[in-house]
Amino acid sequence: MKIALLGGTGPQGRGLALRWARAGVEVVVGSRSAERGQAIAQELNDRLAGQGTPILGMSNEEAVEQSERFVVLAVPYVGHEPTLEWLKSCMAGKILIDVVVPLAGDDPKKVVMPPEGSATEEAQALLGPEIPVVGALHNVSAWVLDKIESPIHCDILICGNNKAAKDEASALIEKLGVKVYNAGLAVSARAIEHMTAILIRLNISKTTPFKHAGLKIWAEAGVE
Amino acid sequence: MKIALLGGTGPQGRGLALRWARAGVEVVVGSRSAERGQAIAQELNDRLAGQGTPILGMSNEEAVEQSERFVVLAVPYVGHEPTLEWLKSCMAGKILIDVVVPLAGDDPKKVVMPPEGSATEEAQALLGPEIPVVGALHNVSAWVLDKIESPIHCDILICGNNKAAKDEASALIEKLGVKVYNAGLAVSARAIEHMTAILIRLNISKTTPFKHAGLKIWAEAGVE
């Protein structure tokens, strides 16, 4: 199952590409230029050193064409709406996994939510009701993703209005070796995306002894 | 240091009263009727069986009068605005710790945020800029709080626009034996309060093996 990763040349996208490829997923990294896509794929394949499935690199448009089911959107927020505008005519039969967080351009400790309420809801509104959007992977730091020899210890909250699409996306995301929780409808992205800014605040703060925090759902298993 | 706990007769309030009292904090539980406040205090003191500081019970108004610094608001959301309306004239020199989550009346898996964006922001708007409001303790389940013999394993995110008030509130909340993180300004309550509805969704879901989940900040300590 070939997946397209748009913004796969950014830090979050690279880590996701590496981890999915290592898990045997065919990843096509998209970039604004085909050359840059190829160069990044080459670089990532060098890091994989033969482990997993080779990563392909091409233009964003070609990557989406290659995708058999999933298009993962991991561009900076400034590219969110422009990407979705051209994407909407190429998504028939596909599912969008939206990783984008609307961080404030001048302060990553803040979010500036679009009128729809969150990036995931904005994507769903722009793509229309026929194309399922699943918000996911907002709270994992790029640094954690990039440390491909270490497991990811934080949990993944996903949300979206299409249950079947969420189940499919869950299965793909679980290949990263993480626990995935269904956090409900797309409206939940208001909390989940915003949590990224809170985690960034904690990472930056001098009072915390860490820099790459994520979320974990804590619970006593089996309690009735 | 005597603190007032309004809505101390509800499940969340009871657990907080018990845990603070065990930690030596003088807790005054407020209720709409003084008799009910007294009855609950008696019941809670029976459970404490002499451990910690005895809990007092009285009317909400008397409890606030007794409070030396903190008023903790743990009423159901329907009582949030009405309580704040009378509270605003009694809060000079005090700090409000707002635990309230605007859960939808017909579905606790959803929040219905007030026009200000969150309950904490609503409280800050209603009390005015002179009275510091700290949002806190939204994500700990009443069941976890009530199990007073067990430590609380989840973390506490607090937020508010007054840094000094947050530091003071942090010290009080740490007496519960939890790790407290400063999640930023009051606007962060939009994410934190909403997370409560997401946790309730996970607790209710048949696909999760737990019923009382909380949040934990996960990070590798000491990473540079």
Side-chain angles (χ1 to χ4, degrees):
Chain A
M1 154 95 59
K2 219 181 262 181
I3 71 168
L5 187 48
L6 308 189
T9 60
Q12 193 106 14
R14 287 179 194 222
L16 287 171
L18 286 167
R19 287 187 182 263
W20 267 318
R22 263 170 62 107
V25 177
E26 273 191 273
V27 179
V28 186
V29 164
S31 183
R32 269 177 293 185
S33 89
E35 291 68 32
R36 179 150 167 79
Q38 282 155 17
I40 296 293
Q42 183 57 56
E43 194 187 293
L44 296 175
N45 285 323
D46 288 348
R47 280 194 60 196
L48 286 175
Q51 296 173 87
T53 307
I55 296 169
L56 300 171
M58 45 193 85
S59 73
N60 282 327
E61 291 78 2
E62 290 166 320
V64 173
E65 229 175 78
Q66 291 285 312
S67 144
E68 290 168 84
R69 187 67 168 154
F70 289 104
V71 176
V72 181
L73 187 54
V75 297
Y77 183 64
V78 67
H80 192 247
E81 193 188 333
T83 307
L84 289 161
E85 284 297 348
W86 66 259
L87 205 51
K88 65 184 172 194
S89 60
C90 328
M91 286 295 293
K94 298 185 168 115
I95 294 169
L96 186 80
I97 299 184
D98 197 343
V99 181
V100 176
V101 175
L103 295 175
D106 58 347
D107 185 353
K109 305 189 298 302
K110 291 182 186 165
V111 280
V112 180
M113 292 299 193
E116 292 82 0
S118 62
T120 291
E121 289 166 281
E122 182 183 42
Q124 189 61 79
L126 282 166
L127 295 187
E130 299 300 312
I131 311 297
V133 175
V134 179
L137 291 158
H138 305 96
N139 301 330
V140 198
S141 95
W143 182 89
V144 166
L145 286 175
D146 192 68
K147 274 183 61 178
I148 55 174
E149 305 296 336
S150 306
I152 300 168
H153 291 285
C154 56
D155 295 326
I156 306 301
L157 296 171
I158 69 169
C159 63
N161 297 337
N162 184 313
K163 176 71 169 64
K166 274 190 290 192
D167 287 345
E168 273 190 68
S170 246
L172 177 68
I173 295 166
E174 280 164 359
K175 289 184 195 287
L176 301 169
V178 288
K179 176 81 193 146
V180 179
Y181 290 102
N182 174 6
L185 299 177
V187 68
S188 295
R190 297 176 193 190
I192 302 168
E193 294 173 14
H194 199 149
M195 283 304 304
T196 302
I198 292 177
L199 291 168
I200 290 173
R201 173 179 293 275
L202 296 181
N203 290 337
I204 290 173
S205 167
K206 293 193 191 76
T207 64
T208 52
F210 52 74
K211 297 193 173 178
H212 312 283
L215 284 184
K216 241 188 132 53
I217 302 297
W218 181 83
E220 282 177 74
V223 168
E224 286 308 310
Chain B
M1 153 95 60
K2 218 181 264 180
I3 70 168
L5 187 47
L6 309 189
T9 60
Q12 194 107 12
R14 287 178 195 222
L16 288 171
L18 286 168
R19 288 186 182 263
W20 267 317
R22 263 169 64 106
V25 177
E26 274 190 89
V27 179
V28 186
V29 164
S31 185
R32 268 177 293 183
S33 89
E35 292 68 31
R36 177 147 168 81
Q38 282 157 16
I40 296 293
Q42 182 58 56
E43 195 187 293
L44 296 174
N45 285 324
D46 288 348
R47 279 194 59 196
L48 287 174
Q51 296 172 88
T53 307
I55 296 170
L56 300 171
M58 46 194 85
S59 73
N60 282 327
E61 291 77 2
E62 290 167 320
V64 172
E65 228 176 79
Q66 291 283 311
S67 143
E68 289 169 86
R69 186 66 167 155
F70 289 104
V71 175
V72 181
L73 187 53
V75 298
Y77 184 64
V78 67
H80 191 247
E81 192 188 335
T83 306
L84 289 161
E85 284 297 347
W86 65 259
L87 205 52
K88 66 184 172 193
S89 61
C90 328
M91 286 295 293
K94 298 185 168 113
I95 294 169
L96 186 80
I97 298 184
D98 197 342
V99 180
V100 176
V101 176
L103 296 175
D106 58 346
D107 185 354
K109 305 190 299 300
K110 291 182 184 164
V111 279
V112 181
M113 292 300 193
E116 292 83 358
S118 61
T120 291
E121 290 166 281
E122 182 184 42
Q124 189 62 76
L126 283 165
L127 294 187
E130 299 300 313
I131 310 297
V133 175
V134 178
L137 293 157
H138 306 96
N139 301 329
V140 198
S141 93
W143 182 90
V144 166
L145 285 175
D146 192 68
K147 272 182 62 177
I148 55 174
E149 305 296 336
S150 307
I152 299 169
H153 292 283
C154 56
D155 295 326
I156 305 300
L157 296 172
I158 69 170
C159 63
N161 297 337
N162 185 312
K163 175 72 167 66
K166 274 190 289 193
D167 288 344
E168 273 190 69
S170 245
L172 177 68
I173 295 165
E174 280 165 359
K175 289 184 195 286
L176 301 169
V178 288
K179 176 80 193 148
V180 179
Y181 290 102
N182 175 6
L185 299 176
V187 68
S188 295
R190 296 176 194 191
I192 302 168
E193 295 173 13
H194 198 150
M195 283 305 303
T196 303
I198 292 177
L199 291 168
I200 290 172
R201 174 180 292 276
L202 296 181
N203 290 337
I204 291 173
S205 167
K206 292 193 192 76
T207 65
T208 51
F210 52 73
K211 297 193 173 179
H212 313 284
L215 284 184
K216 240 185 135 55
I217 303 297
W218 180 84
E220 282 177 74
V223 168
E224 285 310 309

PDB file of all heavy atoms in Angstrom, chain B residues 114-128:
ATOM      1  N   PRO B 114     -18.273  28.418  26.233  1.00  0.00           N
ATOM      2  CA  PRO B 114     -18.921  29.730  26.276  1.00  0.00           C
ATOM      3  C   PRO B 114     -18.274  30.672  25.260  1.00  0.00           C
ATOM      4  O   PRO B 114     -17.191  30.369  24.736  1.00  0.00           O
ATOM      5  CB  PRO B 114     -18.662  30.191  27.713  1.00  0.00           C
ATOM      6  CG  PRO B 114     -17.440  29.457  28.145  1.00  0.00           C
ATOM      7  CD  PRO B 114     -17.462  28.145  27.416  1.00  0.00           C
ATOM      8  N   PRO B 115     -18.925  31.802  24.985  1.00  0.00           N
ATOM      9  CA  PRO B 115     -18.380  32.722  23.970  1.00  0.00           C
ATOM     10  C   PRO B 115     -16.944  33.166  24.274  1.00  0.00           C
ATOM     11  O   PRO B 115     -16.180  33.452  23.352  1.00  0.00           O
ATOM     12  CB  PRO B 115     -19.333  33.923  24.032  1.00  0.00           C
ATOM     13  CG  PRO B 115     -20.575  33.420  24.657  1.00  0.00           C
ATOM     14  CD  PRO B 115     -20.216  32.260  25.519  1.00  0.00           C
ATOM     15  N   GLU B 116     -16.549  33.175  25.547  1.00  0.00           N
ATOM     16  CA  GLU B 116     -15.186  33.590  25.903  1.00  0.00           C
ATOM     17  C   GLU B 116     -14.153  32.554  25.468  1.00  0.00           C
ATOM     18  O   GLU B 116     -12.959  32.858  25.453  1.00  0.00           O
ATOM     19  CB  GLU B 116     -15.082  33.805  27.422  1.00  0.00           C
ATOM     20  CG  GLU B 116     -15.871  34.993  27.950  1.00  0.00           C
ATOM     21  CD  GLU B 116     -17.346  34.675  28.180  1.00  0.00           C
ATOM     22  OE1 GLU B 116     -17.773  33.533  27.899  1.00  0.00           O
ATOM     23  OE2 GLU B 116     -18.079  35.575  28.630  1.00  0.00           O
ATOM     24  N   GLY B 117     -14.577  31.325  25.145  1.00  0.00           N
ATOM     25  CA  GLY B 117     -13.653  30.306  24.645  1.00  0.00           C
ATOM     26  C   GLY B 117     -13.510  29.105  25.556  1.00  0.00           C
ATOM     27  O   GLY B 117     -13.222  28.007  25.092  1.00  0.00           O
ATOM     28  N   SER B 118     -13.680  29.306  26.854  1.00  0.00           N
ATOM     29  CA  SER B 118     -13.543  28.224  27.843  1.00  0.00           C
ATOM     30  C   SER B 118     -14.138  28.706  29.160  1.00  0.00           C
ATOM     31  O   SER B 118     -14.379  29.916  29.343  1.00  0.00           O
ATOM     32  CB  SER B 118     -12.064  27.874  28.053  1.00  0.00           C
ATOM     33  OG  SER B 118     -11.361  29.009  28.557  1.00  0.00           O
ATOM     34  N   ALA B 119     -14.364  27.780  30.073  1.00  0.00           N
ATOM     35  CA  ALA B 119     -14.914  28.156  31.383  1.00  0.00           C
ATOM     36  C   ALA B 119     -13.936  29.059  32.137  1.00  0.00           C
ATOM     37  O   ALA B 119     -14.349  30.036  32.774  1.00  0.00           O
ATOM     38  CB  ALA B 119     -15.225  26.904  32.202  1.00  0.00           C
ATOM     39  N   THR B 120     -12.643  28.752  32.055  1.00  0.00           N
ATOM     40  CA  THR B 120     -11.650  29.563  32.764  1.00  0.00           C
ATOM     41  C   THR B 120     -11.650  30.999  32.241  1.00  0.00           C
ATOM     42  O   THR B 120     -11.618  31.965  33.017  1.00  0.00           O
ATOM     43  CB  THR B 120     -10.255  28.927  32.615  1.00  0.00           C
ATOM     44  OG1 THR B 120     -10.235  27.694  33.352  1.00  0.00           O
ATOM     45  CG2 THR B 120      -9.148  29.828  33.132  1.00  0.00           C
ATOM     46  N   GLU B 121     -11.715  31.151  30.917  1.00  0.00           N
ATOM     47  CA  GLU B 121     -11.768  32.504  30.345  1.00  0.00           C
ATOM     48  C   GLU B 121     -13.067  33.215  30.697  1.00  0.00           C
ATOM     49  O   GLU B 121     -13.092  34.426  30.925  1.00  0.00           O
ATOM     50  CB  GLU B 121     -11.587  32.432  28.827  1.00  0.00           C
ATOM     51  CG  GLU B 121     -10.173  32.033  28.409  1.00  0.00           C
ATOM     52  CD  GLU B 121     -10.119  31.649  26.943  1.00  0.00           C
ATOM     53  OE1 GLU B 121     -10.513  30.507  26.607  1.00  0.00           O
ATOM     54  OE2 GLU B 121      -9.694  32.483  26.122  1.00  0.00           O
ATOM     55  N   GLU B 122     -14.164  32.455  30.745  1.00  0.00           N
ATOM     56  CA  GLU B 122     -15.451  33.029  31.155  1.00  0.00           C
ATOM     57  C   GLU B 122     -15.358  33.542  32.590  1.00  0.00           C
ATOM     58  O   GLU B 122     -15.812  34.656  32.900  1.00  0.00           O
ATOM     59  CB  GLU B 122     -16.547  31.949  31.044  1.00  0.00           C
ATOM     60  CG  GLU B 122     -17.934  32.427  31.393  1.00  0.00           C
ATOM     61  CD  GLU B 122     -18.954  31.283  31.358  1.00  0.00           C
ATOM     62  OE1 GLU B 122     -18.642  30.166  31.838  1.00  0.00           O
ATOM     63  OE2 GLU B 122     -20.067  31.506  30.850  1.00  0.00           O
ATOM     64  N   ALA B 123     -14.756  32.739  33.468  1.00  0.00           N
ATOM     65  CA  ALA B 123     -14.611  33.138  34.875  1.00  0.00           C
ATOM     66  C   ALA B 123     -13.751  34.395  34.978  1.00  0.00           C
ATOM     67  O   ALA B 123     -14.086  35.327  35.713  1.00  0.00           O
ATOM     68  CB  ALA B 123     -13.985  31.995  35.680  1.00  0.00           C
ATOM     69  N   GLN B 124     -12.666  34.437  34.211  1.00  0.00           N
ATOM     70  CA  GLN B 124     -11.791  35.613  34.259  1.00  0.00           C
ATOM     71  C   GLN B 124     -12.536  36.852  33.772  1.00  0.00           C
ATOM     72  O   GLN B 124     -12.404  37.934  34.353  1.00  0.00           O
ATOM     73  CB  GLN B 124     -10.530  35.357  33.427  1.00  0.00           C
ATOM     74  CG  GLN B 124      -9.463  36.419  33.592  1.00  0.00           C
ATOM     75  CD  GLN B 124      -8.936  36.507  35.027  1.00  0.00           C
ATOM     76  OE1 GLN B 124      -8.172  35.688  35.461  1.00  0.00           O
ATOM     77  NE2 GLN B 124      -9.392  37.507  35.765  1.00  0.00           N
ATOM     78  N   ALA B 125     -13.340  36.694  32.724  1.00  0.00           N
ATOM     79  CA  ALA B 125     -14.115  37.833  32.209  1.00  0.00           C
ATOM     80  C   ALA B 125     -15.150  38.291  33.235  1.00  0.00           C
ATOM     81  O   ALA B 125     -15.344  39.487  33.451  1.00  0.00           O
ATOM     82  CB  ALA B 125     -14.795  37.440  30.893  1.00  0.00           C
ATOM     83  N   LEU B 126     -15.811  37.337  33.901  1.00  0.00           N
ATOM     84  CA  LEU B 126     -16.855  37.689  34.863  1.00  0.00           C
ATOM     85  C   LEU B 126     -16.286  38.313  36.133  1.00  0.00           C
ATOM     86  O   LEU B 126     -16.878  39.227  36.698  1.00  0.00           O
ATOM     87  CB  LEU B 126     -17.690  36.453  35.222  1.00  0.00           C
ATOM     88  CG  LEU B 126     -18.713  36.026  34.166  1.00  0.00           C
ATOM     89  CD1 LEU B 126     -19.227  34.612  34.444  1.00  0.00           C
ATOM     90  CD2 LEU B 126     -19.897  37.000  34.131  1.00  0.00           C
ATOM     91  N   LEU B 127     -15.137  37.822  36.592  1.00  0.00           N
ATOM     92  CA  LEU B 127     -14.553  38.345  37.844  1.00  0.00           C
ATOM     93  C   LEU B 127     -13.780  39.635  37.615  1.00  0.00           C
ATOM     94  O   LEU B 127     -13.532  40.377  38.560  1.00  0.00           O
ATOM     95  CB  LEU B 127     -13.641  37.296  38.488  1.00  0.00           C
ATOM     96  CG  LEU B 127     -14.311  36.022  38.995  1.00  0.00           C
ATOM     97  CD1 LEU B 127     -13.306  35.156  39.747  1.00  0.00           C
ATOM     98  CD2 LEU B 127     -15.506  36.314  39.897  1.00  0.00           C
ATOM     99  N   GLY B 128     -13.395  39.890  36.365  1.00  0.00           N
ATOM    100  CA  GLY B 128     -12.636  41.106  36.069  1.00  0.00           C
ATOM    101  C   GLY B 128     -11.150  40.903  36.281  1.00  0.00           C
ATOM    102  O   GLY B 128     -10.733  39.948  36.951  1.00  0.00           O
TER     103      GLY B 128
END
